[in-house]
Amino acid sequence: MPDSPLRRVALEVEAHVTAEGWDQKPRLFALVTTADLIAHEPDLAKQLDPQPGGITPVEQELPDDRELEDLLTDIVWPESVTGCAVVVERIMLPPEAEESLPDDPDELFAVAAAHPDRREVRLVAAVTRDGAAHSAVRVRTPEDAELLEGPDLVPGLIEHLRRTLA
């Protein structure tokens, strides 16, 4: 996997959230250029790695009363924000399970949660204004499962984030 500042910050966000365990609410991060952050907050220089092109995640407070996808439709980042990242936990089902899923959202959640082939996953998506994206997927079990990563593992989530930067 080619390394980049966006890949490094996506993996940093994933590691940070993973260290706090499972069953977390969605988390949103503004991504800012580390050099710009240090220029505006010199006291942070000792805490941050000032490598060229570096990106630093800054966690944002999210309201509890809205779904993440709905909330993302209202977010517009200022120009000082280079990009954004989000972390969500979801239940994934195999493609063959889709045929038998109900249309009602409440019923859908109950059926998915009880499905014998469900997999609980943590999804990380990060994008920048220049269109770059990186994503990561971690399954809950087994605990030692390999972290999957790539530029487009969660295309829907990436597209939601890109719209916040338009």
Side-chain angles (χ1 to χ4, degrees), residues 81-112:
V81 173
T82 301
C84 56
V86 68
V87 181
V88 296
E89 294 178 10
R90 295 289 188 251
I91 295 173
M92 294 182 76
L93 298 175
E96 58 272 10
E98 290 182 28
E99 296 172 5
S100 62
L101 294 176
D103 291 331
D104 178 75
D106 293 329
E107 191 178 337
L108 173 65
F109 180 78
V111 168

Side-chain angles (χ1 to χ4, degrees), residues 10 15 18 20 40 49 51 56 61 67 69 85 94 109 112 149 158:
T18 293
E20 297 181 20
H40 287 91
D49 182 4
Q51 60 182 286
T56 299
E61 293 283 329
E67 292 294 320
E69 289 80 355
F109 180 78
E149 61 169 307
I158 287 170

Side-chain angles (χ1 to χ4, degrees), residues 99-146:
E99 296 172 5
S100 62
L101 294 176
D103 291 331
D104 178 75
D106 293 329
E107 191 178 337
L108 173 65
F109 180 78
V111 168
H115 196 283
D117 296 324
R118 76 183 180 283
R119 303 221 41 201
E120 294 178 61
V121 295
R122 178 175 293 126
L123 309 174
V124 178
V127 299
T128 55
R129 287 190 186 276
D130 65 6
H134 197 79
S135 50
V137 177
R138 179 176 301 279
V139 295
R140 187 171 189 158
T141 57
E143 288 184 25
D144 62 348
E146 181 180 350

